[in-house]
């Protein structure tokens, strides 16, 4: 999708995410995630294939999340908190 901008709407979002459009019952519940809405006047925040993209705090350049899901229309996206990712993977980011 390239560089996009969004607005963090929730830093403690709980949501159900589908894994396969042909099998609507195949879902998982994600708790405590970041919800990022598209910025007004922009067509979308994210698109298919964007999973794994880093989410940065504008103006600071600090990584705050790792994008993993969103609806087909791109109106919002979901990201894991980067602290949860680095802790779970037992890694650290170079700054």
């Amino acid at each position: 999708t390239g560089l996009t901008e969004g607005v963090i709407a929730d830093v403690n979002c709980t949501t159900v995410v589908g894994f396969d459009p042909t099998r609507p019952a195949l879902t998982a519940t994600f708790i405590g995630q970041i919800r990022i809405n598209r910025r007004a006047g922009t067509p979308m925040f994210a698109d298919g294939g964007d999973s794994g993209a880093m989410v940065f705090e504008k103006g600071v350049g600090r990584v705050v999340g790792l994008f993993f899901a969103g609806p087909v229309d791109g109106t919002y996206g979901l990201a894991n908190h980067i602290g949860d990712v680095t802790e779970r993977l037992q890694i650290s980011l170079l700054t």
Side-chain angles (χ1 to χ4, degrees):
T1 308
L3 179 63
T4 61
E5 291 186 16
V7 177
I8 292 180
D10 191 349
V11 294
N12 194 24
C13 178
T14 296
T15 189
V16 176
V17 174
F19 288 103
D20 183 347
T22 65
R23 298 172 58 199
L26 187 58
T27 64
T29 301
F30 290 85
I31 300 167
Q33 305 303 302
I34 304 169
R35 179 185 165 126
I36 306 142
N37 293 341
R38 74 176 175 210
R39 185 171 294 286
T42 61
M44 62 178 38
F45 173 70
D47 202 0
D50 287 345
S51 292
M54 290 185 172
V55 177
F56 293 88
E57 182 178 359
K58 185 176 181 177
V60 178
R62 179 176 63 102
V63 178
V64 296
L66 189 67
F67 179 81
F68 72 93
V72 174
D73 66 4
T75 53
Y76 68 90
L78 300 168
N80 307 114
H81 288 271
I82 199 62
D84 294 341
V85 174
T86 57
E87 180 181 328
R88 178 69 109 155
L89 296 176
Q90 298 180 353
I91 61 172
S92 53
L93 299 178
L94 297 175
T95 55

